[in-house]
Amino acid sequence: GVVLPAMRARYATRRLRVKEAFVVKYEAGLSSAGLEMHRDGTLLNCVILLSCPSDFEGGGTAFAPPLGRTWTTAQGAGLCSCGQLSHGAAVVTKGVRYTLIAFIDEEQEVEEEDDDDEEF
């Protein structure tokens, strides 16, 4: 009721919906310590930090140029952005970082069927 309307206003979109949401575990020393630069299959995304920042070192959402920087948030705070910007997860160098990831798209308009034109 708050985040999606705010994102809709910010990005001038139609009504938004969460297409998919899941928890990701980034653990230091493993192949899952970070995530390479990529673009999402959805228009927008939102990353919410679930871990206490003192539980890990490193991490954050890294953006390729022209932004060219890494953003970190407080526990429970979210970073929402365009999924088409090249981004990744900075490597966690110590501990474990948990995030909730939400992929967000515009709602598709559904065409109404005209039952009068077809006979069964």
Side-chain angles (χ1 to χ4, degrees), residues 1-56:
V2 175
V3 175
L4 294 182
M7 290 179 77
R8 180 179 182 196
R10 172 79 174 174
Y11 291 101
T13 66
R14 294 190 305 258
R15 286 181 52 114
L16 297 171
R17 70 178 180 87
V18 175
K19 183 177 181 180
E20 183 178 9
F22 52 91
V23 174
V24 177
K25 177 183 178 182
Y26 299 103
E27 187 169 357
L30 301 178
S31 62
S32 62
L35 184 61
E36 293 182 12
M37 292 288 176
H38 64 280
R39 288 182 172 85
D40 296 334
T42 55
L43 178 63
L44 303 168
N45 65 45
C46 192
V47 179
I48 299 168
L49 180 62
L50 301 177
S51 300
C52 178
S54 64
D55 291 345
F56 64 92

Side-chain angles (χ1 to χ4, degrees), residues 37 45 47 60-71 79-83 85-89:
M37 292 288 176
N45 65 45
V47 179
T61 303
F63 290 92
L67 297 178
R69 67 171 278 200
T70 299
W71 267 271
L79 174 66
C80 301
S81 65
C82 176
L85 289 173
S86 186
H87 64 281

Side-chain angles (χ1 to χ4, degrees), residues 5 14-15 20 26 31 39 41 45 47-48 60 66 68 73 76 91 93 96 99 105-106 114-115 117:
R14 294 190 305 258
R15 286 181 52 114
E20 183 178 9
Y26 299 103
S31 62
R39 288 182 172 85
N45 65 45
V47 179
I48 299 168
T73 61
V91 172
T93 56
V96 179
T99 61
D105 261 330
E106 291 178 306
D114 188 0
D115 292 335
D117 292 341

